[in-house]
Amino acid sequence: MPGAVARTALLDAHAITRALERISEQIVALSGGTDRLVLVGIQRRGVELAERIGALIRAKQGGDVPRGALDITLYRDDLNEIGPRPVIGETRLPGNLDGKVVVIVDDVLFTGRTVRAALDQIADFGRPARIGLAVLVDRGGRELPIQADIVGERVPAHAGDRVDVLLTEVDGRDAVELVRGSPR
Amino acid sequence: MSEPLGKDLLGLEPLSAEQIRLILDTAEPFKEVSERAIKKVPTLRGKTIVNLFFESSTRTRISFEFAEKRLSADTVNVGASGSSVQKGETLVDTARNLEAMRIDMVVMRHPSSGAARFLAERIQSNVVNAGDGTHEHPTQGLLDLLTIRDRFGRIEGLKVCVCGDILHSRVARSNLWGLTKLGAKVAVCGPQSLLPRNIEDFGVTVFRRIEEAIEWADVLNVLRLQLERMNAGFIPSLREYYRVFGVTLERLAAASHELVILHPGPMNRGVEIDSRVADGPHSVILRQVTNGVAVRMAVLYLLAGGRPEQAEAAKRGREGGE
């Protein structure tokens, strides 16, 4: 990485766990129980977060919440601009989504384009009764009229900043960090 | 990001092992798209693809067409008969006329070796070689690699023997390039008259007897014997070919280990392959057909987005995750 970049810690492991506990409770409230709830994580860290939220709900309410994973690469609107992604992750959805309450889980909400793509993709798999959105971090900077139902932490970041969510399963440790004006 | 593919896919010879692996890895998620109730993703919406087939083909053309449609591209099929080609138009004129209608990609099959490169150097659209003469058939080579990798979890170190008419086969050539680049041990087996001279220079083992090839190999890729070869005097008779080179259940049963059998189709049952083998547990022939669609989706996807200079320019304009 060229140049010195300023990294500021926003959330530590403990704060992430507490945020996920709050998110789990709010998801159960939003779906009116767990009967119709399906958690769908967006590759890659959204999938890990959905797993953790599923485990938290199971610990509190009992019962397994069906979980799925979406890779939205093929639904992006910028193939011409950014070129193909090196490797596309797995998409798997647990059965028919008709009539379910699907909660999309992602690490960071930024422009809203990923969520737009995820909504398109879910529509190809069925017609849920409701689709909600839960994110660990909302960093602002929306380019589309999309808002999250449930937010772990709001972080006012500038356009050139990067918000990194690090998770033990993927990155070896839990942290949320703000990287100021990072050159990419 | 790994090395992009560039504008065209002309063969496996110009590709690096890394590029071949990129295509195979990209094909994995596309397998799932074909298993959905709605077998379609919007990835190539608005792109126009022309399938220009100067030689008859059922499987390859349909496979490309499925791949294109499942990526939401608009497709047009042009065949040699009933088109301006029959009126004597040259290949370049045909392609330039198509380009004047603002197309994005051409998938071409042509009887002349090198036709794909010739076209690619003269038009701006992406060109995918769907078989050119006896030169290469890269997407067939790729789907064979993917099918082998599915079965064994790897290519490196496997013993793969390509059997039959190596001399006239673009499938054989693409297989030899792809397999050797990915580190397989490669052999060929067939009648002397259907092996290229100096085939050993390719770095492959040559078996004259099919029994030896079967005993040596983990995988046999049994090529279609083109029936017109018999009239041209390359082999004495089809019955004779089956007796000497046919991949039969008895021959496989005599081997000391299990083999996996590939065939690019269309099969001549009872000529190069025994029906009981084609339909039996050794065969992954239908898996090849399924994988063909996924591999072609991966190639189209990678080429469509593979304009590195555009990608770079766009990247400079946008920062931050998501």
Side-chain angles (χ1 to χ4, degrees), chain A residues 73-75 80-81 83-86 88 110-112 114 121 124-125 184, chain B residues 1 22 29-30 32 36 38 40 42-43 47 301 305 310-311 314 319 321-322:
Chain A
T73 307
L74 300 175
Y75 289 74
N80 275 334
E81 292 163 36
R85 289 295 163 109
I88 305 169
F110 181 19
T111 61
T114 298
Q121 186 163 11
D124 282 352
F125 284 91
R184 241 196 147 167
Chain B
M1 162 122 196
L22 170 67
F30 284 116
E32 176 264 328
R36 296 181 189 176
I38 297 180
K40 209 176 182 72
T43 317
K47 301 265 183 205
Y301 166 69
Q310 259 180 42
E319 298 286 6
E322 194 164 4

PDB file of all heavy atoms in Angstrom, chain A residues 73-75 80-81 83-86 88 110-112 114 121 124-125 184, chain B residues 1 22 29-30 32 36 38 40 42-43 47 301 305 310-311 314 319 321-322:
ATOM      1  N   THR A  73     -22.359 -10.404  -7.471  1.00  0.00           N
ATOM      2  CA  THR A  73     -21.493  -9.987  -8.586  1.00  0.00           C
ATOM      3  C   THR A  73     -22.215  -9.972  -9.934  1.00  0.00           C
ATOM      4  O   THR A  73     -22.065  -9.036 -10.710  1.00  0.00           O
ATOM      5  CB  THR A  73     -20.284 -10.935  -8.680  1.00  0.00           C
ATOM      6  OG1 THR A  73     -19.662 -10.997  -7.401  1.00  0.00           O
ATOM      7  CG2 THR A  73     -19.282 -10.434  -9.701  1.00  0.00           C
ATOM      8  N   LEU A  74     -23.004 -11.037 -10.195  1.00  0.00           N
ATOM      9  CA  LEU A  74     -23.625 -11.155 -11.513  1.00  0.00           C
ATOM     10  C   LEU A  74     -24.781 -10.176 -11.687  1.00  0.00           C
ATOM     11  O   LEU A  74     -25.332 -10.040 -12.770  1.00  0.00           O
ATOM     12  CB  LEU A  74     -24.102 -12.589 -11.734  1.00  0.00           C
ATOM     13  CG  LEU A  74     -22.975 -13.627 -11.665  1.00  0.00           C
ATOM     14  CD1 LEU A  74     -23.534 -15.034 -11.762  1.00  0.00           C
ATOM     15  CD2 LEU A  74     -21.956 -13.383 -12.775  1.00  0.00           C
ATOM     16  N   TYR A  75     -25.181  -9.499 -10.602  1.00  0.00           N
ATOM     17  CA  TYR A  75     -26.283  -8.539 -10.662  1.00  0.00           C
ATOM     18  C   TYR A  75     -25.781  -7.107 -10.571  1.00  0.00           C
ATOM     19  O   TYR A  75     -26.567  -6.178 -10.440  1.00  0.00           O
ATOM     20  CB  TYR A  75     -27.282  -8.819  -9.538  1.00  0.00           C
ATOM     21  CG  TYR A  75     -28.075 -10.087  -9.768  1.00  0.00           C
ATOM     22  CD1 TYR A  75     -27.480 -11.330  -9.600  1.00  0.00           C
ATOM     23  CD2 TYR A  75     -29.394 -10.046 -10.188  1.00  0.00           C
ATOM     24  CE1 TYR A  75     -28.184 -12.502  -9.829  1.00  0.00           C
ATOM     25  CE2 TYR A  75     -30.110 -11.216 -10.408  1.00  0.00           C
ATOM     26  CZ  TYR A  75     -29.501 -12.436 -10.230  1.00  0.00           C
ATOM     27  OH  TYR A  75     -30.203 -13.584 -10.457  1.00  0.00           O
ATOM     28  N   ASN A  80     -19.045  -3.144 -17.009  1.00  0.00           N
ATOM     29  CA  ASN A  80     -18.254  -2.414 -17.999  1.00  0.00           C
ATOM     30  C   ASN A  80     -17.178  -1.557 -17.352  1.00  0.00           C
ATOM     31  O   ASN A  80     -16.129  -1.345 -17.918  1.00  0.00           O
ATOM     32  CB  ASN A  80     -19.158  -1.496 -18.819  1.00  0.00           C
ATOM     33  CG  ASN A  80     -19.771  -2.236 -19.973  1.00  0.00           C
ATOM     34  OD1 ASN A  80     -19.204  -3.228 -20.442  1.00  0.00           O
ATOM     35  ND2 ASN A  80     -20.925  -1.786 -20.421  1.00  0.00           N
ATOM     36  N   GLU A  81     -17.512  -1.019 -16.164  1.00  0.00           N
ATOM     37  CA  GLU A  81     -16.604  -0.062 -15.540  1.00  0.00           C
ATOM     38  C   GLU A  81     -15.511  -0.729 -14.722  1.00  0.00           C
ATOM     39  O   GLU A  81     -14.353  -0.338 -14.795  1.00  0.00           O
ATOM     40  CB  GLU A  81     -17.393   0.898 -14.637  1.00  0.00           C
ATOM     41  CG  GLU A  81     -18.310   1.819 -15.416  1.00  0.00           C
ATOM     42  CD  GLU A  81     -19.357   2.438 -14.522  1.00  0.00           C
ATOM     43  OE1 GLU A  81     -19.046   2.732 -13.357  1.00  0.00           O
ATOM     44  OE2 GLU A  81     -20.492   2.606 -14.990  1.00  0.00           O
ATOM     45  N   GLY A  83     -14.801  -4.136 -14.527  1.00  0.00           N
ATOM     46  CA  GLY A  83     -14.240  -5.400 -14.978  1.00  0.00           C
ATOM     47  C   GLY A  83     -14.727  -6.523 -14.086  1.00  0.00           C
ATOM     48  O   GLY A  83     -15.325  -6.288 -13.046  1.00  0.00           O
ATOM     49  N   PRO A  84     -14.498  -7.763 -14.523  1.00  0.00           N
ATOM     50  CA  PRO A  84     -15.011  -8.893 -13.768  1.00  0.00           C
ATOM     51  C   PRO A  84     -14.285  -9.054 -12.441  1.00  0.00           C
ATOM     52  O   PRO A  84     -13.113  -8.738 -12.315  1.00  0.00           O
ATOM     53  CB  PRO A  84     -14.751 -10.085 -14.673  1.00  0.00           C
ATOM     54  CG  PRO A  84     -13.707  -9.652 -15.625  1.00  0.00           C
ATOM     55  CD  PRO A  84     -13.724  -8.162 -15.692  1.00  0.00           C
ATOM     56  N   ARG A  85     -15.002  -9.537 -11.443  1.00  0.00           N
ATOM     57  CA  ARG A  85     -14.395  -9.856 -10.163  1.00  0.00           C
ATOM     58  C   ARG A  85     -13.577 -11.131 -10.312  1.00  0.00           C
ATOM     59  O   ARG A  85     -13.970 -12.021 -11.051  1.00  0.00           O
ATOM     60  CB  ARG A  85     -15.495 -10.076  -9.118  1.00  0.00           C
ATOM     61  CG  ARG A  85     -16.175  -8.805  -8.738  1.00  0.00           C
ATOM     62  CD  ARG A  85     -15.155  -7.949  -8.049  1.00  0.00           C
ATOM     63  NE  ARG A  85     -15.540  -6.565  -7.964  1.00  0.00           N
ATOM     64  CZ  ARG A  85     -15.890  -5.974  -6.816  1.00  0.00           C
ATOM     65  NH1 ARG A  85     -15.950  -6.646  -5.711  1.00  0.00           N
ATOM     66  NH2 ARG A  85     -16.166  -4.694  -6.803  1.00  0.00           N
ATOM     67  N   PRO A  86     -12.460 -11.216  -9.620  1.00  0.00           N
ATOM     68  CA  PRO A  86     -11.601 -12.390  -9.773  1.00  0.00           C
ATOM     69  C   PRO A  86     -12.334 -13.697  -9.504  1.00  0.00           C
ATOM     70  O   PRO A  86     -12.378 -14.566 -10.348  1.00  0.00           O
ATOM     71  CB  PRO A  86     -10.492 -12.177  -8.749  1.00  0.00           C
ATOM     72  CG  PRO A  86     -10.720 -10.867  -8.108  1.00  0.00           C
ATOM     73  CD  PRO A  86     -11.896 -10.211  -8.735  1.00  0.00           C
ATOM     74  N   ILE A  88     -16.004 -15.374  -8.019  1.00  0.00           N
ATOM     75  CA  ILE A  88     -17.360 -15.137  -7.552  1.00  0.00           C
ATOM     76  C   ILE A  88     -17.665 -16.154  -6.456  1.00  0.00           C
ATOM     77  O   ILE A  88     -17.374 -17.332  -6.598  1.00  0.00           O
ATOM     78  CB  ILE A  88     -18.349 -15.295  -8.720  1.00  0.00           C
ATOM     79  CG1 ILE A  88     -17.938 -14.379  -9.868  1.00  0.00           C
ATOM     80  CG2 ILE A  88     -19.763 -14.996  -8.268  1.00  0.00           C
ATOM     81  CD1 ILE A  88     -18.675 -14.648 -11.157  1.00  0.00           C
ATOM     82  N   PHE A 110     -23.078   1.400   2.140  1.00  0.00           N
ATOM     83  CA  PHE A 110     -22.431   2.588   1.593  1.00  0.00           C
ATOM     84  C   PHE A 110     -23.320   3.162   0.492  1.00  0.00           C
ATOM     85  O   PHE A 110     -24.312   3.820   0.770  1.00  0.00           O
ATOM     86  CB  PHE A 110     -21.027   2.199   1.091  1.00  0.00           C
ATOM     87  CG  PHE A 110     -20.194   3.309   0.502  1.00  0.00           C
ATOM     88  CD1 PHE A 110     -20.471   4.646   0.760  1.00  0.00           C
ATOM     89  CD2 PHE A 110     -19.107   3.024  -0.318  1.00  0.00           C
ATOM     90  CE1 PHE A 110     -19.700   5.671   0.217  1.00  0.00           C
ATOM     91  CE2 PHE A 110     -18.322   4.031  -0.868  1.00  0.00           C
ATOM     92  CZ  PHE A 110     -18.625   5.351  -0.603  1.00  0.00           C
ATOM     93  N   THR A 111     -23.025   2.884  -0.773  1.00  0.00           N
ATOM     94  CA  THR A 111     -23.778   3.504  -1.867  1.00  0.00           C
ATOM     95  C   THR A 111     -25.204   2.967  -1.990  1.00  0.00           C
ATOM     96  O   THR A 111     -26.079   3.634  -2.532  1.00  0.00           O
ATOM     97  CB  THR A 111     -23.077   3.255  -3.210  1.00  0.00           C
ATOM     98  OG1 THR A 111     -23.019   1.847  -3.429  1.00  0.00           O
ATOM     99  CG2 THR A 111     -21.666   3.829  -3.209  1.00  0.00           C
ATOM    100  N   GLY A 112     -25.418   1.721  -1.520  1.00  0.00           N
ATOM    101  CA  GLY A 112     -26.728   1.090  -1.677  1.00  0.00           C
ATOM    102  C   GLY A 112     -26.825   0.239  -2.928  1.00  0.00           C
ATOM    103  O   GLY A 112     -27.811  -0.453  -3.143  1.00  0.00           O
ATOM    104  N   THR A 114     -25.042  -2.419  -3.803  1.00  0.00           N
ATOM    105  CA  THR A 114     -25.000  -3.849  -3.487  1.00  0.00           C
ATOM    106  C   THR A 114     -26.386  -4.337  -3.075  1.00  0.00           C
ATOM    107  O   THR A 114     -26.836  -5.406  -3.501  1.00  0.00           O
ATOM    108  CB  THR A 114     -24.000  -4.115  -2.346  1.00  0.00           C
ATOM    109  OG1 THR A 114     -22.702  -3.711  -2.785  1.00  0.00           O
ATOM    110  CG2 THR A 114     -23.966  -5.578  -1.966  1.00  0.00           C
ATOM    111  N   GLN A 121     -31.660  -9.967  -7.119  1.00  0.00           N
ATOM    112  CA  GLN A 121     -31.325 -11.393  -7.104  1.00  0.00           C
ATOM    113  C   GLN A 121     -32.364 -12.182  -6.301  1.00  0.00           C
ATOM    114  O   GLN A 121     -32.792 -13.254  -6.740  1.00  0.00           O
ATOM    115  CB  GLN A 121     -29.930 -11.588  -6.515  1.00  0.00           C
ATOM    116  CG  GLN A 121     -29.462 -13.033  -6.609  1.00  0.00           C
ATOM    117  CD  GLN A 121     -27.966 -13.174  -6.423  1.00  0.00           C
ATOM    118  OE1 GLN A 121     -27.280 -12.230  -6.021  1.00  0.00           O
ATOM    119  NE2 GLN A 121     -27.454 -14.344  -6.716  1.00  0.00           N
ATOM    120  N   ASP A 124     -35.404 -13.176  -8.078  1.00  0.00           N
ATOM    121  CA  ASP A 124     -35.289 -14.331  -8.975  1.00  0.00           C
ATOM    122  C   ASP A 124     -35.471 -15.653  -8.238  1.00  0.00           C
ATOM    123  O   ASP A 124     -35.523 -16.710  -8.856  1.00  0.00           O
ATOM    124  CB  ASP A 124     -33.924 -14.330  -9.676  1.00  0.00           C
ATOM    125  CG  ASP A 124     -33.888 -13.336 -10.835  1.00  0.00           C
ATOM    126  OD1 ASP A 124     -34.945 -12.777 -11.164  1.00  0.00           O
ATOM    127  OD2 ASP A 124     -32.804 -13.135 -11.413  1.00  0.00           O
ATOM    128  N   PHE A 125     -35.501 -15.611  -6.917  1.00  0.00           N
ATOM    129  CA  PHE A 125     -35.632 -16.842  -6.137  1.00  0.00           C
ATOM    130  C   PHE A 125     -36.999 -16.972  -5.478  1.00  0.00           C
ATOM    131  O   PHE A 125     -37.252 -17.928  -4.757  1.00  0.00           O
ATOM    132  CB  PHE A 125     -34.552 -16.908  -5.058  1.00  0.00           C
ATOM    133  CG  PHE A 125     -33.192 -17.279  -5.590  1.00  0.00           C
ATOM    134  CD1 PHE A 125     -32.295 -16.310  -5.995  1.00  0.00           C
ATOM    135  CD2 PHE A 125     -32.821 -18.615  -5.700  1.00  0.00           C
ATOM    136  CE1 PHE A 125     -31.045 -16.652  -6.484  1.00  0.00           C
ATOM    137  CE2 PHE A 125     -31.582 -18.962  -6.185  1.00  0.00           C
ATOM    138  CZ  PHE A 125     -30.686 -17.981  -6.578  1.00  0.00           C
ATOM    139  N   ARG A 184      -6.442   3.681  -3.448  1.00  0.00           N
ATOM    140  CA  ARG A 184      -6.748   2.288  -3.757  1.00  0.00           C
ATOM    141  C   ARG A 184      -6.301   1.914  -5.139  1.00  0.00           C
ATOM    142  O   ARG A 184      -6.444   2.702  -6.046  1.00  0.00           O
ATOM    143  CB  ARG A 184      -8.237   2.052  -3.665  1.00  0.00           C
ATOM    144  CG  ARG A 184      -8.554   1.023  -2.603  1.00  0.00           C
ATOM    145  CD  ARG A 184      -9.950   0.514  -2.758  1.00  0.00           C
ATOM    146  NE  ARG A 184     -10.010  -0.885  -2.341  1.00  0.00           N
ATOM    147  CZ  ARG A 184     -11.138  -1.524  -2.136  1.00  0.00           C
ATOM    148  NH1 ARG A 184     -12.265  -0.918  -2.336  1.00  0.00           N
ATOM    149  NH2 ARG A 184     -11.143  -2.780  -1.773  1.00  0.00           N
TER     150      ARG A 184
ATOM    151  N   MET B   1      -5.737  -8.822  -8.389  1.00  0.00           N
ATOM    152  CA  MET B   1      -6.526  -9.477  -9.445  1.00  0.00           C
ATOM    153  C   MET B   1      -5.600 -10.223 -10.377  1.00  0.00           C
ATOM    154  O   MET B   1      -4.548  -9.739 -10.763  1.00  0.00           O
ATOM    155  CB  MET B   1      -7.317  -8.397 -10.193  1.00  0.00           C
ATOM    156  CG  MET B   1      -7.836  -8.816 -11.550  1.00  0.00           C
ATOM    157  SD  MET B   1      -9.617  -8.648 -11.641  1.00  0.00           S
ATOM    158  CE  MET B   1      -9.959  -9.636 -13.086  1.00  0.00           C
ATOM    159  N   LEU B  22      -8.329 -19.288 -13.684  1.00  0.00           N
ATOM    160  CA  LEU B  22      -9.317 -18.215 -13.468  1.00  0.00           C
ATOM    161  C   LEU B  22     -10.647 -18.571 -14.137  1.00  0.00           C
ATOM    162  O   LEU B  22     -11.720 -18.413 -13.553  1.00  0.00           O
ATOM    163  CB  LEU B  22      -8.787 -16.881 -14.024  1.00  0.00           C
ATOM    164  CG  LEU B  22      -9.792 -15.721 -14.077  1.00  0.00           C
ATOM    165  CD1 LEU B  22     -10.190 -15.278 -12.675  1.00  0.00           C
ATOM    166  CD2 LEU B  22      -9.215 -14.527 -14.855  1.00  0.00           C
ATOM    167  N   PRO B  29     -19.345 -20.816  -9.819  1.00  0.00           N
ATOM    168  CA  PRO B  29     -20.635 -20.226  -9.428  1.00  0.00           C
ATOM    169  C   PRO B  29     -21.679 -20.243 -10.547  1.00  0.00           C
ATOM    170  O   PRO B  29     -22.885 -20.201 -10.271  1.00  0.00           O
ATOM    171  CB  PRO B  29     -20.276 -18.789  -9.045  1.00  0.00           C
ATOM    172  CG  PRO B  29     -18.967 -18.524  -9.677  1.00  0.00           C
ATOM    173  CD  PRO B  29     -18.256 -19.841  -9.725  1.00  0.00           C
ATOM    174  N   PHE B  30     -21.229 -20.314 -11.801  1.00  0.00           N
ATOM    175  CA  PHE B  30     -22.198 -20.350 -12.902  1.00  0.00           C
ATOM    176  C   PHE B  30     -22.939 -21.689 -12.970  1.00  0.00           C
ATOM    177  O   PHE B  30     -24.022 -21.769 -13.543  1.00  0.00           O
ATOM    178  CB  PHE B  30     -21.513 -20.045 -14.236  1.00  0.00           C
ATOM    179  CG  PHE B  30     -21.206 -18.580 -14.408  1.00  0.00           C
ATOM    180  CD1 PHE B  30     -19.899 -18.132 -14.498  1.00  0.00           C
ATOM    181  CD2 PHE B  30     -22.216 -17.647 -14.469  1.00  0.00           C
ATOM    182  CE1 PHE B  30     -19.610 -16.786 -14.640  1.00  0.00           C
ATOM    183  CE2 PHE B  30     -21.943 -16.298 -14.612  1.00  0.00           C
ATOM    184  CZ  PHE B  30     -20.631 -15.867 -14.705  1.00  0.00           C
ATOM    185  N   GLU B  32     -24.325 -23.087 -10.538  1.00  0.00           N
ATOM    186  CA  GLU B  32     -25.514 -22.937  -9.679  1.00  0.00           C
ATOM    187  C   GLU B  32     -26.627 -22.195 -10.408  1.00  0.00           C
ATOM    188  O   GLU B  32     -27.814 -22.488 -10.218  1.00  0.00           O
ATOM    189  CB  GLU B  32     -25.105 -22.209  -8.383  1.00  0.00           C
ATOM    190  CG  GLU B  32     -26.237 -21.896  -7.426  1.00  0.00           C
ATOM    191  CD  GLU B  32     -26.774 -20.480  -7.606  1.00  0.00           C
ATOM    192  OE1 GLU B  32     -25.990 -19.566  -7.968  1.00  0.00           O
ATOM    193  OE2 GLU B  32     -27.980 -20.297  -7.423  1.00  0.00           O
ATOM    194  N   ARG B  36     -31.095 -23.110 -10.904  1.00  0.00           N
ATOM    195  CA  ARG B  36     -32.193 -22.327 -10.332  1.00  0.00           C
ATOM    196  C   ARG B  36     -33.485 -22.530 -11.096  1.00  0.00           C
ATOM    197  O   ARG B  36     -33.473 -22.944 -12.249  1.00  0.00           O
ATOM    198  CB  ARG B  36     -31.860 -20.831 -10.412  1.00  0.00           C
ATOM    199  CG  ARG B  36     -30.666 -20.432  -9.599  1.00  0.00           C
ATOM    200  CD  ARG B  36     -30.462 -18.933  -9.732  1.00  0.00           C
ATOM    201  NE  ARG B  36     -29.203 -18.541  -9.131  1.00  0.00           N
ATOM    202  CZ  ARG B  36     -28.720 -17.301  -9.163  1.00  0.00           C
ATOM    203  NH1 ARG B  36     -29.397 -16.347  -9.790  1.00  0.00           N
ATOM    204  NH2 ARG B  36     -27.581 -17.020  -8.594  1.00  0.00           N
ATOM    205  N   ILE B  38     -35.367 -19.961 -11.924  1.00  0.00           N
ATOM    206  CA  ILE B  38     -35.189 -18.925 -12.947  1.00  0.00           C
ATOM    207  C   ILE B  38     -33.720 -18.931 -13.325  1.00  0.00           C
ATOM    208  O   ILE B  38     -32.872 -18.417 -12.602  1.00  0.00           O
ATOM    209  CB  ILE B  38     -35.627 -17.549 -12.420  1.00  0.00           C
ATOM    210  CG1 ILE B  38     -37.122 -17.575 -12.100  1.00  0.00           C
ATOM    211  CG2 ILE B  38     -35.310 -16.454 -13.440  1.00  0.00           C
ATOM    212  CD1 ILE B  38     -37.685 -16.283 -11.562  1.00  0.00           C
ATOM    213  N   LYS B  40     -31.351 -17.490 -14.916  1.00  0.00           N
ATOM    214  CA  LYS B  40     -30.952 -16.294 -15.639  1.00  0.00           C
ATOM    215  C   LYS B  40     -30.407 -15.278 -14.665  1.00  0.00           C
ATOM    216  O   LYS B  40     -30.985 -15.054 -13.605  1.00  0.00           O
ATOM    217  CB  LYS B  40     -32.191 -15.720 -16.335  1.00  0.00           C
ATOM    218  CG  LYS B  40     -31.928 -14.953 -17.607  1.00  0.00           C
ATOM    219  CD  LYS B  40     -33.264 -14.558 -18.209  1.00  0.00           C
ATOM    220  CE  LYS B  40     -33.116 -13.825 -19.520  1.00  0.00           C
ATOM    221  NZ  LYS B  40     -32.704 -14.675 -20.618  1.00  0.00           N
ATOM    222  N   PRO B  42     -28.684 -11.114 -14.758  1.00  0.00           N
ATOM    223  CA  PRO B  42     -28.721  -9.974 -15.688  1.00  0.00           C
ATOM    224  C   PRO B  42     -27.344  -9.480 -16.155  1.00  0.00           C
ATOM    225  O   PRO B  42     -27.246  -8.419 -16.754  1.00  0.00           O
ATOM    226  CB  PRO B  42     -29.415  -8.888 -14.847  1.00  0.00           C
ATOM    227  CG  PRO B  42     -29.049  -9.218 -13.450  1.00  0.00           C
ATOM    228  CD  PRO B  42     -28.906 -10.702 -13.363  1.00  0.00           C
ATOM    229  N   THR B  43     -26.318 -10.283 -15.937  1.00  0.00           N
ATOM    230  CA  THR B  43     -24.936  -9.812 -16.087  1.00  0.00           C
ATOM    231  C   THR B  43     -24.617  -9.184 -17.446  1.00  0.00           C
ATOM    232  O   THR B  43     -23.942  -8.164 -17.522  1.00  0.00           O
ATOM    233  CB  THR B  43     -23.981 -10.993 -15.842  1.00  0.00           C
ATOM    234  OG1 THR B  43     -24.465 -11.712 -14.720  1.00  0.00           O
ATOM    235  CG2 THR B  43     -22.564 -10.527 -15.600  1.00  0.00           C
ATOM    236  N   LYS B  47     -25.925  -6.586 -23.998  1.00  0.00           N
ATOM    237  CA  LYS B  47     -24.848  -6.997 -24.907  1.00  0.00           C
ATOM    238  C   LYS B  47     -25.453  -7.832 -26.041  1.00  0.00           C
ATOM    239  O   LYS B  47     -26.370  -8.621 -25.817  1.00  0.00           O
ATOM    240  CB  LYS B  47     -23.820  -7.870 -24.181  1.00  0.00           C
ATOM    241  CG  LYS B  47     -23.175  -7.193 -22.999  1.00  0.00           C
ATOM    242  CD  LYS B  47     -21.859  -6.567 -23.396  1.00  0.00           C
ATOM    243  CE  LYS B  47     -21.207  -5.964 -22.170  1.00  0.00           C
ATOM    244  NZ  LYS B  47     -20.294  -4.884 -22.504  1.00  0.00           N
ATOM    245  N   TYR B 301     -18.470 -13.937 -19.614  1.00  0.00           N
ATOM    246  CA  TYR B 301     -18.440 -12.962 -18.512  1.00  0.00           C
ATOM    247  C   TYR B 301     -17.061 -12.312 -18.394  1.00  0.00           C
ATOM    248  O   TYR B 301     -16.944 -11.086 -18.295  1.00  0.00           O
ATOM    249  CB  TYR B 301     -18.817 -13.674 -17.219  1.00  0.00           C
ATOM    250  CG  TYR B 301     -18.504 -12.901 -15.964  1.00  0.00           C
ATOM    251  CD1 TYR B 301     -19.217 -11.750 -15.645  1.00  0.00           C
ATOM    252  CD2 TYR B 301     -17.494 -13.317 -15.101  1.00  0.00           C
ATOM    253  CE1 TYR B 301     -18.931 -11.037 -14.485  1.00  0.00           C
ATOM    254  CE2 TYR B 301     -17.199 -12.616 -13.945  1.00  0.00           C
ATOM    255  CZ  TYR B 301     -17.917 -11.471 -13.650  1.00  0.00           C
ATOM    256  OH  TYR B 301     -17.621 -10.777 -12.518  1.00  0.00           O
ATOM    257  N   GLY B 305     -16.265  -8.194 -19.408  1.00  0.00           N
ATOM    258  CA  GLY B 305     -15.790  -7.197 -18.459  1.00  0.00           C
ATOM    259  C   GLY B 305     -14.301  -6.982 -18.573  1.00  0.00           C
ATOM    260  O   GLY B 305     -13.737  -6.133 -17.892  1.00  0.00           O
ATOM    261  N   GLN B 310     -10.477   0.247 -19.399  1.00  0.00           N
ATOM    262  CA  GLN B 310     -11.747   0.821 -18.937  1.00  0.00           C
ATOM    263  C   GLN B 310     -11.916   0.629 -17.440  1.00  0.00           C
ATOM    264  O   GLN B 310     -12.342   1.520 -16.725  1.00  0.00           O
ATOM    265  CB  GLN B 310     -12.907   0.108 -19.628  1.00  0.00           C
ATOM    266  CG  GLN B 310     -13.505   0.883 -20.775  1.00  0.00           C
ATOM    267  CD  GLN B 310     -14.643   0.092 -21.392  1.00  0.00           C
ATOM    268  OE1 GLN B 310     -15.443  -0.499 -20.703  1.00  0.00           O
ATOM    269  NE2 GLN B 310     -14.694   0.091 -22.712  1.00  0.00           N
ATOM    270  N   ALA B 311     -11.558  -0.572 -17.011  1.00  0.00           N
ATOM    271  CA  ALA B 311     -11.709  -0.898 -15.598  1.00  0.00           C
ATOM    272  C   ALA B 311     -10.831   0.012 -14.745  1.00  0.00           C
ATOM    273  O   ALA B 311     -11.260   0.516 -13.714  1.00  0.00           O
ATOM    274  CB  ALA B 311     -11.337  -2.359 -15.360  1.00  0.00           C
ATOM    275  N   ALA B 314     -12.256   3.551 -14.561  1.00  0.00           N
ATOM    276  CA  ALA B 314     -13.426   3.617 -13.689  1.00  0.00           C
ATOM    277  C   ALA B 314     -13.016   3.527 -12.228  1.00  0.00           C
ATOM    278  O   ALA B 314     -13.601   4.163 -11.366  1.00  0.00           O
ATOM    279  CB  ALA B 314     -14.392   2.492 -14.039  1.00  0.00           C
ATOM    280  N   GLU B 319     -13.951   5.364  -5.153  1.00  0.00           N
ATOM    281  CA  GLU B 319     -13.149   4.883  -4.023  1.00  0.00           C
ATOM    282  C   GLU B 319     -14.064   4.251  -3.002  1.00  0.00           C
ATOM    283  O   GLU B 319     -15.265   4.469  -2.992  1.00  0.00           O
ATOM    284  CB  GLU B 319     -12.395   6.045  -3.365  1.00  0.00           C
ATOM    285  CG  GLU B 319     -11.409   6.750  -4.257  1.00  0.00           C
ATOM    286  CD  GLU B 319     -10.140   5.957  -4.521  1.00  0.00           C
ATOM    287  OE1 GLU B 319     -10.050   4.781  -4.102  1.00  0.00           O
ATOM    288  OE2 GLU B 319      -9.240   6.495  -5.152  1.00  0.00           O
ATOM    289  N   GLY B 321     -15.198   0.959  -0.204  1.00  0.00           N
ATOM    290  CA  GLY B 321     -15.642  -0.434  -0.297  1.00  0.00           C
ATOM    291  C   GLY B 321     -17.020  -0.591  -0.874  1.00  0.00           C
ATOM    292  O   GLY B 321     -17.519   0.287  -1.558  1.00  0.00           O
ATOM    293  N   GLU B 322     -17.632  -1.645  -0.572  1.00  0.00           N
ATOM    294  CA  GLU B 322     -18.935  -2.112  -1.018  1.00  0.00           C
ATOM    295  C   GLU B 322     -18.883  -2.780  -2.357  1.00  0.00           C
ATOM    296  O   GLU B 322     -18.117  -2.497  -3.228  1.00  0.00           O
ATOM    297  CB  GLU B 322     -19.967  -1.000  -1.081  1.00  0.00           C
ATOM    298  CG  GLU B 322     -21.357  -1.606  -1.203  1.00  0.00           C
ATOM    299  CD  GLU B 322     -22.466  -0.630  -0.890  1.00  0.00           C
ATOM    300  OE1 GLU B 322     -22.158   0.531  -0.656  1.00  0.00           O
ATOM    301  OE2 GLU B 322     -23.594  -1.037  -0.833  1.00  0.00           O
TER     302      GLU B 322
END
